[in-house]
């Protein structure tokens, strides 16, 4: 669903269509994504339109990038015995 929303805004029905799930199940899944801050939903009459909010993904990526750099630097330190090829 996130992959689809990265390309365009969609209704709940459009998001559910490629999957073998009910509209109710799709709506529950979308609510989880909304609580995570990844999806914003607007209501136009009976149509619920969803769009991706990429900010939480950017925050997550920044967090992972920080720790990736941390671990790469830690493993390259001289005398680090946990690096590949090191003994315990």
């Amino acid at each position: 669903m996130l992959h689809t929303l990265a390309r365009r805004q969609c209704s709940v029905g459009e998001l559910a269509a490629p999957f073998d799930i009910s509209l109710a199940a799709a709506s529950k899944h979308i609510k989880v994504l909304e609580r995570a801050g990844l999806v914003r939903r607007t209501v136009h009459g009976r149509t619920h339109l969803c769009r991706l909010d990429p900010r939480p993904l950017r925050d997550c990526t920044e967090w992972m990038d920080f720790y990736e750099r941390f671990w790469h630097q830690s493993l390259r330190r001289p005398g680090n015995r946990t690096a590949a090829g090191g003994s315990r």
Side-chain angles (χ1 to χ4, degrees):
M1 288 184 179
L2 291 177
H3 184 72
T4 300
L5 291 173
R7 292 190 311 264
R8 63 185 176 87
Q9 178 173 273
C10 295
S11 69
V12 173
E14 291 171 319
L15 287 172
F19 305 99
D20 188 23
I21 58 174
S22 67
L23 284 177
S27 188
K28 285 182 181 181
H29 183 72
I30 292 165
K31 284 179 186 175
V32 170
L33 296 173
E34 284 180 293
R35 284 194 303 271
L38 295 168
V39 170
R40 301 282 182 226
R41 187 188 315 217
T42 56
V43 180
H44 299 280
R46 295 179 62 198
T47 304
H48 291 228
L49 293 175
C50 302
R51 64 179 175 80
L52 178 67
D53 184 349
R55 289 177 294 181
L57 292 174
R58 184 178 53 237
D59 295 343
C60 182
T61 300
E62 289 172 3
W63 182 85
M64 288 188 298
D65 288 346
F66 171 82
Y67 282 99
E68 181 179 29
R69 287 189 304 274
F70 169 80
W71 284 111
H72 283 290
Q73 290 169 0
S74 296
L75 293 174
R76 282 187 286 193
R77 287 189 189 125
N80 188 333
R81 296 172 115 15
T82 60
S87 61
R88 289 187 162 209

